[in-house]
Amino acid sequence: MRSNGCGELRNKDISSKVELCGWVDRCRDHGGVIFVDLRDQSGTIQITADPDQGKKLFEIAETLRNETVVKIKGVVRSRPKESINKKLGTGDIEILADEIKILNPIRGNLPFTVSVHDEEPVKEELRLRHRYLDLRRERMNQNLRLRHKTIHTARNFLEKEGFIEVETPILTRSTPEGARDYLVPSRVCGGEWFALPQSPQLFKQLLMVGGIERYYQVARCFRDEDLRSDRQPEFTQLDIEMSFMEQEEILALNEKLIVAIWKAIKGIDIPTPFPRMTWEESMNMYGTDRPDTRFDMKLEDVSEVVKNLGFKVFSGAIAKGGSVKCITVKNGNSTISNVRIKPGGDIFKEAQEAGAGGLAFIRVREKGEIDTIGAIKESLSNSQKEDLLKITKAKAGDLILFGAGETSTVNKTLDRIRQFLANELKLISDKNEPKAWNFLWIVDFPMFEFNSEENRLEALHHPFCAPKAEDLTKNSESIEINLPKAHAQAYDLVLNGLELGGGSLRIHDPDLQKQVFTAIGLSSKEASEQFGFLTDALNMGAPPSWGNRFWVGQNCNAINWRRIYS
RNA sequence: GGGACCGUAGUUCAACUGGUUAGAGCACCGCCCUGUCACGGCGGAAGUUGCGGGUUCGAAUCCCGUCGGUCCCGCCA
């Protein structure tokens, strides 16, 4: 039907006869000559309709509208020197049309414009209703290709490493994991329901017991929870599980996979090994388990300095077992006004959203002088002031923002403000491209987290992850006593503040698995009802195995990988 | 489940404190234009201001209800 792609043609094609198909991106009608930008998947080229080539041709060209589907026959020719368009890959040449055939005209109004030149925002709802038009747009088209390339590269890589792709069931039984299940009524077993899998977690463990050794799957997962802008109820993860591996081996393998993907999609060589940080370090320094390390503004704990301060917001927080931490905004005095950090200001609101009661601040002036609210200034001694400036390394012109209260709230608040300011101050990206690709392993996650509402421990990762052996043998006490404080043999991979995925060593000892169930408050009856099949399997020769998964971004955004769930 | 914000032409937005006939860009239609490339010029058509009710001399604007959407909290091992 066609001889070339629009975007492929170059000077070397001059004088050749071509047949092109595509969509009209834009028309410029000069009365005596009409220029048509013709677009297909490969790019755009200018078609010139000249009345000398026939009256009929010109009449058809006059009727063309944006997005009309056409087939064009013509000859490639060079453009006049003064008309060369350097912005276009095909800008040296054009097609002199001798036949234009309309394959499908446009009837009525288009809901939005498709052309790459149009950058007007369009409501999400409209874009979804007319997804086909949206996909025609360059950016969306590229996103789908990016996603394809990512998965294609992963498949090739895993194939070479001896993995096989296995599909696990979609219509399955409900296993109580974290989220609500999507349910599907069963016609055959009236009154019974299938659940859609929240992840292939248990299936892949059973595959390991089944001697598969190296499995992967591009797996669809379903979780019936409320949405967020970066969360979807249905998402895809690259799911991997392998037997007989040490942690170092699996981290190295993951790094190789990531390196291969970034090489393929960005042409970038990511250096290995990736840096590592323990969960505790990350929480202390960044207030989150997925820190964005492209910029500094680390959290500093100043509890020791201010614990006896007359300023009760600070000293009171510490007396109640909380802490006072702060971040230092370089040159914040000139970039951030008081209006923004006082009640009603946007930065203050961010702090409130995170649960903070307020947002204390100190502005550092010349010669170690400070500006702040009266209550802090009056109660701060000279040596305390000096200690603060020493810990924060704040210089004249810098702004120090404080969080005080329960440590988890303080962390959450400062993490949020840190990210908010990084965006505002443009510390993290130039245009749409990140300033760096900072991959980071977070290791040594705690096994459990205390849920104060339900008054019980919860698995931080999931209840199948193995605790670190040395944590269990501390002080030669029993496993039951050491378990709640143990660290998991689990890791997360973080990129620029986004959690790309993570993994862990599975428990393969049925007794230990039972202990973990007990620790999270699952009675042995419940455990055997819900996970009996798993403990059965562990009794019949389960190998030690590591599993992990990466989120494959639903939105194929600038980075393609996005946090969906943790 | 809770909170904040939004809904005006096909579309993106505007319309002061409630005050004349609800405006503009793009798209659309017509006319003009032979080197533009987000072409340009002149003209035109296009609106139940999401829907229903209320307050008022007067409502896009204020109030109540309702529908739809965006974001956030809870939730998402």
Side-chain angles (χ1 to χ4, degrees):
Chain A
M1 193 168 182
R2 58 182 171 181
S3 63
N4 299 80
C6 296
E8 295 163 1
L9 296 167
R10 291 293 182 271
N11 274 323
K12 64 177 166 51
D13 301 300
I14 284 170
S15 305
S16 52
K17 282 192 165 184
V18 293
E19 296 183 21
L20 303 175
C21 293
W23 289 265
V24 172
D25 193 73
R26 237 182 179 92
C27 295
R28 290 171 295 280
D29 185 346
H30 287 246
V33 63
I34 299 173
F35 300 108
V36 179
D37 292 338
L38 187 67
R39 181 191 71 235
D40 66 14
Q41 182 249 102
S42 66
T44 306
I45 192 166
Q46 174 166 286
I47 311 294
T48 304
D50 192 306
D52 298 343
Q53 302 299 309
K55 196 178 161 197
K56 193 177 157 221
L57 166 105
F58 200 72
E59 278 171 4
I60 293 173
E62 280 178 315
T63 69
L64 293 178
R65 284 176 53 189
N66 296 348
E67 299 313 307
T68 306
V69 186
V70 293
K71 177 177 177 178
I72 285 171
K73 286 186 191 175
V75 178
V76 182
R77 67 175 186 187
S78 61
R79 293 189 183 198
K81 253 189 209 131
E82 62 280 10
S83 297
I84 284 171
N85 184 352
K86 291 207 172 91
K87 284 186 271 181
L88 213 57
T90 56
D92 288 339
I93 53 171
E94 63 185 7
I95 311 292
L96 180 63
D98 44 46
E99 190 186 323
I100 299 177
K101 191 177 170 193
I102 294 183
L103 300 178
N104 208 349
I106 298 298
R107 304 165 186 91
N109 281 319
L110 290 168
F112 52 87
T113 40
V114 173
S115 170
V116 288
H117 304 299
D118 204 303
E119 277 157 19
E120 248 179 17
V122 178
K123 286 196 185 77
E124 191 75 17
E125 193 193 351
L126 260 189
R127 291 173 54 194
L128 287 169
R129 192 182 313 156
H130 305 282
R131 201 51 155 179
Y132 40 86
L133 278 183
D134 200 24
L135 291 176
R136 231 180 264 170
R137 309 215 275 188
E138 172 83 7
R139 213 188 75 131
M140 293 299 285
N141 200 297
Q142 288 303 324
N143 286 346
L144 281 184
R145 279 164 207 290
L146 190 63
R147 186 182 170 126
H148 160 75
K149 211 166 186 176
T150 303
I151 291 174
H152 180 75
T153 307
R155 279 206 165 98
N156 280 348
F157 175 84
L158 293 166
E159 163 73 20
K160 278 190 205 127
E161 295 287 339
F163 287 78
I164 63 164
E165 185 168 12
V166 181
E167 284 183 282
T168 53
I170 295 294
L171 293 174
T172 175
R173 63 176 273 188
S174 173
T175 51
E177 292 179 72
R180 262 185 298 271
D181 289 318
Y182 275 104
L183 297 174
V184 180
S186 163
R187 183 186 57 82
V188 177
C189 309
E192 298 284 317
W193 301 78
F194 293 108
L196 303 183
Q198 295 174 25
S199 78
Q201 178 63 48
L202 290 160
F203 291 118
K204 63 178 175 179
Q205 283 187 242
L206 295 177
L207 285 172
M208 292 305 107
V209 185
I212 299 303
E213 294 194 16
R214 292 194 162 205
Y215 139 95
Y216 80 96
Q217 181 177 200
V218 179
R220 199 57 75 91
C221 307
F222 306 88
R223 295 178 189 181
D224 186 12
E225 292 295 342
D226 290 345
L227 304 179
R228 284 288 186 287
S229 57
D230 62 349
R231 238 196 248 168
Q232 307 222 3
E234 175 187 341
F235 60 94
T236 305
Q237 67 184 33
L238 177 61
D239 198 51
I240 298 173
E241 185 95 9
M242 61 203 112
S243 301
F244 309 122
M245 297 282 283
E246 304 287 348
Q247 175 161 341
E248 290 308 319
E249 293 173 299
I250 195 165
L251 291 187
L253 187 87
N254 275 323
E255 288 179 358
K256 267 173 85 179
L257 169 63
I258 294 293
V259 165
I261 290 173
W262 252 256
K263 184 71 180 174
I265 63 177
K266 291 279 171 191
I268 295 172
D269 292 302
I270 304 286
T272 55
F274 300 164
R276 290 185 204 181
M277 200 182 284
T278 67
W279 180 87
E280 203 181 342
E281 286 170 340
S282 179
M283 294 305 289
N284 288 342
M285 277 195 287
Y286 296 95
T288 174
D289 58 3
R290 47 187 176 99
D292 190 338
T293 57
R294 280 174 295 178
F295 59 102
D296 233 355
M297 248 198 273
K298 289 193 190 98
L299 279 57
E300 300 289 352
D301 194 327
V302 293
S303 303
E304 277 303 308
V305 182
V306 300
K307 66 182 175 188
N308 295 319
L309 222 56
F311 184 54
K312 287 283 180 270
V313 174
F314 284 1
S315 50
I318 296 158
K320 281 182 205 149
S323 49
V324 178
K325 296 172 85 169
C326 62
I327 54 176
T328 304
V329 188
K330 287 276 153 218
N331 302 314
N333 286 350
S334 50
T335 50
I336 293 160
S337 67
N338 272 358
V339 179
R340 302 183 65 186
I341 53 181
K342 286 185 171 173
D346 58 343
I347 297 169
F348 188 91
K349 278 183 187 159
E350 287 294 320
Q352 272 184 320
E353 286 282 343
L359 185 64
F361 67 92
I362 288 179
R363 290 187 183 277
V364 184
R365 306 296 185 190
E366 294 297 334
K367 293 177 184 154
E369 289 299 307
I370 57 167
D371 271 347
T372 176
I373 57 167
I376 296 179
K377 203 165 185 177
E378 282 161 23
S379 62
L380 206 61
S381 73
N382 266 338
S383 72
Q384 284 169 328
K385 189 180 78 182
E386 275 163 28
D387 285 346
L388 270 186
L389 294 182
K390 204 166 139 195
I391 291 173
T392 58
K393 297 187 190 77
K395 303 250 157 56
D398 294 350
L399 169 67
I400 309 174
L401 296 169
F402 292 85
E406 212 179 298
T407 306
S408 63
T409 309
V410 170
N411 281 339
K412 206 171 164 186
T413 304
L414 293 181
D415 167 45
R416 185 158 168 155
I417 289 177
R418 187 176 169 269
Q419 291 186 58
F420 182 80
L421 290 179
N423 250 320
E424 289 283 302
L425 303 173
K426 310 225 180 306
L427 302 176
I428 49 182
S429 47
D430 291 317
K431 289 164 190 163
N432 283 326
E433 197 70 0
K435 284 190 173 175
W437 301 99
N438 283 4
F439 290 90
L440 172 70
W441 291 115
I442 304 292
V443 297
D444 291 353
F445 279 75
M447 279 288 285
F448 304 103
E449 191 173 40
F450 189 69
N451 182 329
S452 50
E453 270 172 40
E454 296 180 27
N455 195 33
R456 66 176 185 93
L457 292 176
E458 277 181 339
L460 192 72
H461 216 90
H462 57 62
F464 317 111
C465 100
K468 291 182 91 167
E470 64 259 36
D471 283 347
L472 293 182
T473 52
K474 256 181 210 164
N475 307 323
S476 63
E477 286 173 41
S478 66
I479 288 180
E480 294 97 288
I481 291 169
N482 283 316
L483 188 58
K485 286 183 185 153
H487 293 87
Q489 302 201 47
Y491 53 86
D492 271 2
L493 180 61
V494 172
L495 165 62
N496 295 349
L498 295 172
E499 183 192 330
L500 290 194
S504 61
L505 177 70
R506 311 306 180 201
I507 297 170
H508 65 283
D509 172 357
D511 289 333
L512 184 56
Q513 183 66 71
K514 279 179 194 160
Q515 302 267 11
V516 172
F517 286 146
T518 307
I520 60 173
L522 216 58
S523 72
S524 56
K525 187 166 171 264
E526 287 169 315
S528 77
E529 270 169 19
Q530 292 168 5
F531 299 108
F533 64 93
L534 180 70
T535 26
D536 277 355
L538 297 186
N539 277 317
M540 296 186 220
S545 73
W546 284 85
N548 69 193
R549 72 281 185 263
F550 296 106
W551 315 122
V552 179
Q554 296 296 307
N555 293 313
C556 297
N557 221 336
I559 319 173
N560 186 47
W561 301 72
R562 262 186 114 168
R563 174 172 187 263
I564 309 297
Y565 281 81
S566 59

